[in-house]
Amino acid sequence: DTTSGAIRGTENVPISVLPGRAISVEISGLPNSTLAGQELSPVVAMRDAQGNLSSGYRGAVFFDESTDPHPLARRPGGYRFVAADLGSHRFEQQVLFATAAEQCLVVRAEDAGQVLRARRCVTVMPTQAAGLRFVTQPQDGIAGEPLQPFPRVAVVDAYNNPVPSVETAVTL
């Protein structure tokens, strides 16, 4: 007692402080940039009002959307948190972006009528050159005459993304 000095003692009593209910969801574990086709492992964490992991969270999370339209792009399905998660779950190698551009992953968490959302974007870059693609497709032509329109090709990666700064001669 520092006010009156009447109470004296040195007993230590442990106090447990439990995290509150989840009021926010966050996505981490993703790089700022990646190569097309690289498998990524995002971590979804549920946080209370003080920013602590909400270890009692038992609701479900869903990856609502990905901005990547490529058919080989993938994201995790729904997941219900269990006690062992302690408010955070890693989705090991369950995200793959294939289209070179900024791609975003959106997670939605639902529990007891509460809906929370988080969004995390990644810059996806093309991988190494893997083939060619017509940018301008030539039409039927006449022998000895120039093709119209003039054919143009692009060097592309395995996901059909143009690979910049690659020059190559192409003979048709």
Side-chain angles (χ1 to χ4, degrees), residues 9-171:
T10 58
E11 188 169 332
N12 291 326
V13 178
I15 298 174
S16 295
V17 178
L18 301 175
R21 73 177 186 83
I23 65 158
S24 68
V25 58
E26 67 183 28
I27 304 170
S28 63
L30 295 176
N32 290 328
S33 63
T34 188
L35 293 174
Q38 185 173 1
E39 293 179 319
L40 304 174
S41 303
V43 175
V44 174
M46 306 306 297
R47 301 275 179 187
D48 70 8
Q50 284 70 44
N52 301 308
L53 282 174
S54 186
S55 58
Y57 183 75
R58 299 295 179 274
V61 295
F62 303 92
F63 290 84
D64 279 348
E65 56 187 76
S66 163
T67 54
D68 194 338
H70 199 285
L72 295 177
R74 71 174 188 264
R75 63 182 188 263
Y79 177 78
R80 180 163 298 281
F81 275 63
V82 297
D85 290 324
L86 297 173
S88 176
H89 184 79
R90 181 180 174 96
F91 293 86
E92 191 69 39
Q93 297 181 334
Q94 292 187 33
V95 170
L96 184 142
F97 294 118
T99 303
E102 181 179 76
Q103 302 297 343
C104 299
L105 189 64
V106 176
V107 66
R108 172 176 42 99
E110 294 182 1
D111 185 38
Q114 170 181 273
V115 179
L116 306 169
R117 284 188 170 77
R119 175 183 172 108
R120 176 76 165 81
C121 297
V122 175
T123 300
V124 180
M125 300 171 296
T127 62
Q128 74 236 15
L132 299 172
R133 171 181 57 137
F134 276 104
V135 175
T136 305
Q137 177 75 38
Q139 303 296 320
D140 291 338
I142 298 172
E145 297 287 325
L147 292 172
Q148 294 295 327
F150 188 77
R152 289 184 37 222
V153 295
V155 178
V156 295
D157 68 7
Y159 299 94
N160 209 27
N161 295 305
V163 178
S165 303
V166 175
E167 292 185 22
T168 186
V170 177
T171 302

